[in-house]
Amino acid sequence: MTPITTTAELAAFCEKLKGQPFVAVDTEFMRETTYWPKLCLIQAAAPSAEAVIDPLADGIDLEPFLEILRDERIEKVFHAARQDVEIFNNLSAMPRPLFDTQIAGMAAGFGEQIAYDALVRQMLKIEIDKSSRFTDWARRPLTDAQLTYALADVTHLAALYPMLRQRLEKAGRIAWVTEEMQAMADPALYDVEPENAWKRLKPRRHAAKYLSVFRAVAAWRERTAQTRDQPRGRILKDEAIDELATQAPTDADGLNRLRSVPKGFSGSKFGPELLEAIRAALKDPEAYAPVIERNHAPSSPAAGAVVELLKVLLKARAEDAGVASKLIATVSDLEKIANDDEADSAALHGWRREAFGEDALKLKRGELALVLDGARVRVVPVRRAQKA
């Protein structure tokens, strides 16, 4: 098998993709030792064309394929799309419209975060050859076996996509997946602006001093990781950001006393830069601290018990609908609902409210009961439970 290695070859292939209803896409990349993912291979398959594209080939310009990704007349199909979409977003080519077969599989009753090979096995009755799974995709040349393995990721994807979509349409759940895809294609999800890096983490306090240092340290780490092209964790671990925000050291001695900061960090070239970032944040903590909205009322004494009941209700409703419970609501959603009927929770909006949220509120109000029927939990109106 010969991959596409020139811009002319890529342009000719992309001409074949124009006018297609969809194109299945996958990537192979490396990022274990870098901040920015290194794109090593692109695989694409439409109903009448398929190819492996080599982004590392000398002089190749990916723009013809990026234009296909931007073409909103062609649906882009991925499996577990998050990292692939991040790569293309970095190349200013957010794939729209987007269809993620992992999320679609969750909505179609294949379980939570179903793996690609499992979905292919169940839908196409094909076992995927995994012999090239641990290939170093940055090495050249790639063997025919490696290229064939890579291409199979999209040829099978192109085959199962119409089947999966038809299944969802029959169940009336295409809108569920469309809503999820709109969220996944939101550029804010892939924001790499250093000043927003704190949003990926979980601040444990709300005091202005803590939050200002938390934001400053997260921004410093993000900026340093980007500049040096190293993983965030190699610069500073997540837990160190919380300790730095809690202790707010302003000199080398204070930095050296922290358990989560590597020994000798203050004497490295990173130490003075980090301390300067902290001191700058502390000049006006109120102004620099991010505003964190509290999404629900303070936890009530009974909230823990309510959350446990909501977990049972969620499991029952997910089984009734034949859909993965994680797609409907998370534990965080349940905690918010337990404390506040008007909580800003995805489970109280759109199709999730219909599938679960409305019943969750009724359960809280005592209008529904959970009844054990053998090994299965049934959800019944309270009046029916009383008559029984």
Side-chain angles (χ1 to χ4, degrees), residues 246-263:
T246 301
Q247 301 299 328
T250 56
D251 55 33
D253 287 341
L255 200 57
N256 288 334
R257 286 194 293 269
L258 302 186
R259 296 177 61 184
S260 59
V261 174
K263 187 175 181 180

Side-chain angles (χ1 to χ4, degrees), residues 106-119:
M106 293 168 69
F110 287 101
E112 295 188 5
Q113 295 182 319
I114 183 167
Y116 175 67
D117 58 345
L119 192 60

Side-chain angles (χ1 to χ4, degrees), residues 124-135:
L124 302 180
K125 312 303 179 188
I126 294 172
E127 286 290 339
I128 294 178
D129 178 8
K130 298 181 181 180
S131 59
S132 298
R133 187 175 185 179
F134 299 107
T135 292

Side-chain angles (χ1 to χ4, degrees), residues 339-353:
N339 283 290
D340 183 4
D341 289 3
E342 303 295 329
D344 182 15
S345 164
L348 293 180
H349 298 284
W351 67 267
R352 290 182 175 84
R353 185 176 183 111

Side-chain angles (χ1 to χ4, degrees), residues 289-304:
V291 177
I292 299 180
E293 303 227 356
R294 304 199 185 194
N295 293 322
H296 54 80
S299 181
S300 66

Side-chain angles (χ1 to χ4, degrees), residues 4-25:
I4 289 174
T5 57
T6 70
T7 305
E9 291 172 343
L10 181 57
F13 171 66
C14 290
E15 280 298 318
K16 297 177 183 178
L17 298 182
K18 292 178 181 178
Q20 296 289 320
F22 70 89
V23 57
V25 182

Side-chain angles (χ1 to χ4, degrees), residues 10-73:
L10 181 57
F13 171 66
C14 290
E15 280 298 318
K16 297 177 183 178
L17 298 182
K18 292 178 181 178
Q20 296 289 320
F22 70 89
V23 57
V25 182
D26 189 33
T27 67
E28 307 298 342
F29 59 91
M30 308 290 285
R31 74 179 311 171
E32 288 80 3
T33 60
T34 63
Y35 176 92
W36 304 104
K38 181 179 182 180
L39 182 58
C40 300
L41 215 61
I42 302 171
Q43 305 96 278
S48 62
E50 59 188 44
V52 174
I53 304 162
D54 185 357
L56 301 183
D58 288 341
I60 193 168
D61 184 352
L62 296 178
E63 187 59 27
F65 187 73
L66 300 182
E67 281 297 321
I68 294 295
L69 294 180
R70 298 185 192 108
D71 187 342
E72 298 195 10
R73 296 167 297 181

Side-chain angles (χ1 to χ4, degrees), residues 73 98 106 137 165 227 238 267 291 300-301 306 331 347 362 365:
R73 296 167 297 181
L98 180 65
M106 293 168 69
W137 297 105
R165 186 176 184 89
T227 302
D238 287 356
V291 177
S300 66
V306 175
V331 173
K362 288 180 180 178
R365 295 194 296 264

